[in-house]
């Protein structure tokens, strides 16, 4: 295959999804990603602002050309705090999202395919985690660690408490796929259970998601 043909195939794969909601979500994510990557440099080096500069003489100022979003009660620039803090917020969201997606897919697909005691145990664990409130737990953990671990602790708590809903959805999808012909064919060829889960069920459950 020539380089030009490969390039055209790559461009087709990189096309934006037709769903307008997905496109809006991608645009918002790209905006905040650029804000997190380039914003702190622009704010601190070009605009000359710092999120931690305290000046009580300019406390609670209204938005202006100098302070786009105004200032806090201690005179800190709100816009600088928003831009610099967006990097940490994106890191928390990214790590929590990876943890949540990984756990929900593995637990949901494994439970739906294996069945029996394994499914009962994973379903019970999912139901228990469903009733654990994420925000109160986050507040308790934050007060206990007292700043140790930083944003990573927050991401871990969010990720470890947000996966059960996705796991239930993946389990339901897997129950509808487990008796399909492609699963039976993989089992008859000697594919291991882990191989069926990772190579057959997970990709198809992902494509069948709404």
């Amino acid at each position: 295959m020539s380089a030009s043909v490969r390039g055209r195939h790559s461009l087709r794969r990189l096309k934006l999804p037709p769903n307008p909601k997905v496109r809006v979500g991608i645009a918002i994510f790209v905006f905040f990603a650029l804000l997190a990557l380039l914003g702190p440099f622009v704010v601190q080096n070009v605009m000359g602002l710092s999120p931690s500069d305290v000046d009580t003489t300019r406390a609670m100022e209204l938005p202006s050309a100098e302070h786009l979003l105004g200032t806090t009660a201690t005179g800190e620039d709100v816009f600088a705090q928003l831009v610099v803090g967006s990097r940490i917020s994106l890191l928390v969201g990214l790590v929590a999202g990876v943890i949540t997606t990984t756990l929900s897919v593995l637990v949901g697909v494994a439970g739906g395919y294996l069945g029996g005691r394994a499914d009962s145990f994973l379903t019970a664990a999912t139901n228990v985690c469903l009733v654990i409130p994420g925000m109160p737990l986050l507040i308790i953990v934050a007060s206990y660690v007292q700043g140790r671990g930083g944003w990573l602790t927050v991401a871990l708590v969010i990720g470890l408490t947000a996966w059960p809903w996705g796991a239930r959805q993946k389990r339901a999808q897997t129950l509808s796929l487990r008796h399909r012909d492609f699963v039976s064919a993989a089992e008859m060829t000697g594919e291991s259970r882990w191989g069926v889960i990772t190579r057959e069920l997970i990709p198809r459950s992902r494509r069948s998601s709404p």
Side-chain angles (χ1 to χ4, degrees):
M1 184 181 294
S2 63
S4 60
V5 175
R6 287 197 299 269
R8 287 196 295 270
H9 284 303
S10 300
L11 288 176
R12 290 195 189 100
R13 287 196 296 268
L14 290 175
K15 281 185 178 180
L16 291 175
N19 192 324
K21 295 180 180 179
V22 177
R23 293 189 176 191
V24 171
I26 292 175
I28 294 174
F29 175 77
V30 170
F31 169 76
F32 280 104
L34 292 175
L35 182 68
L37 291 174
L38 304 177
F41 174 80
V42 174
V43 167
Q44 295 176 347
N45 296 280
V46 178
M47 301 177 65
L49 299 174
S50 175
S52 58
D53 285 347
V54 176
D55 186 359
T56 55
T57 60
R58 62 181 190 187
M60 301 300 294
E61 289 187 2
L62 296 176
S64 62
E66 184 180 1
H67 305 289
L68 298 179
L69 297 179
T71 60
T72 65
T74 55
E76 298 164 314
D77 187 85
V78 176
F79 179 73
Q81 291 182 335
L82 173 66
V83 171
V84 175
S86 62
R87 182 173 297 180
I88 301 299
S89 299
L90 278 182
L91 286 174
V92 170
L94 179 62
V95 174
V98 170
I99 295 173
T100 299
T101 303
T102 302
L103 289 177
S104 62
V105 170
L106 289 178
V107 173
V109 175
Y113 172 68
L114 296 176
R117 292 183 178 179
D119 184 30
S120 300
F121 173 77
L122 293 175
T123 301
T126 301
N127 292 334
V128 169
C129 292
L130 274 174
V131 301
I132 298 177
M135 184 58 68
L137 179 62
L138 185 61
I139 295 173
I140 293 172
V141 172
S143 62
Y144 177 76
V145 299
Q146 297 180 354
R148 295 186 297 271
W151 63 268
L152 184 58
T153 302
V154 177
L156 288 174
V157 173
I158 294 175
L160 293 174
T161 55
W163 62 269
W165 291 108
R168 294 190 67 175
Q169 180 190 36
K170 290 300 179 184
R171 179 180 178 274
Q173 291 174 348
T174 304
L175 289 175
S176 67
L177 296 173
R178 61 183 296 186
H179 296 301
R180 299 283 181 89
D181 291 340
F182 66 89
V183 176
S184 300
E187 293 173 343
M188 291 178 64
T189 58
E191 187 75 70
S192 64
R193 288 185 172 182
W194 178 249
V196 173
I197 291 173
T198 56
R199 297 188 183 93
E200 303 294 339
L201 291 173
I202 288 179
R204 285 172 173 80
S205 66
R206 181 181 59 193
R207 287 197 292 269
S208 63
S209 297

